[in-house]
Amino acid sequence: MRLAAWEAANLYPAAYKAEILAYLRTYLNDPSNVSEAIVSQPFLRPMGLGNRYVVCLRYSAKRSSGSSGPAREHMAVFVSGKLDRFSDLRGEQAKPEQAKSEQCSGASYAPFPEAERLAR
């Protein structure tokens, strides 16, 4: 893919929250267990030939005791304004030289109550 085509597919994901919620409904075994959810607004990160819009998401899963488990961090990558990839950032590699967790370093998070209201 040429750089011009890569950048042409770099549209702002206006419906990023709705796309993430739709993905979580299918990704999670029990989406009603989401707690303490926070999300960033889309921002550009270097990937591949250029930049891609990325959204970072952090949430905990409720345990059977009612307490929250450890927070999990995820990164959603958007192409042409649509969700393209959703990655768990626990120790995996985004690029050979950069850990995935670094992809969300510096992200500014806001509460994401819509994720906490998900149902099966």
Side-chain angles (χ1 to χ4, degrees), residues 59-72:
Y59 64 87
S60 298
K62 294 177 196 167
R63 295 182 173 155
S64 57
S65 65
S67 65
S68 294
R72 297 178 62 180

Side-chain angles (χ1 to χ4, degrees), residues 38-87:
I38 55 177
V39 67
S40 73
Q41 289 190 345
F43 60 98
L44 290 171
R45 276 283 191 231
M47 277 185 193
L49 297 174
N51 294 315
R52 283 288 179 240
Y53 278 103
V54 169
V55 172
C56 296
L57 170 69
R58 191 179 303 148
Y59 64 87
S60 298
K62 294 177 196 167
R63 295 182 173 155
S64 57
S65 65
S67 65
S68 294
R72 297 178 62 180
E73 192 166 28
H74 298 269
M75 178 178 69
V77 179
F78 291 82
V79 176
S80 298
K82 301 290 183 192
L83 182 62
D84 183 63
R85 287 189 311 269
F86 193 82
S87 304

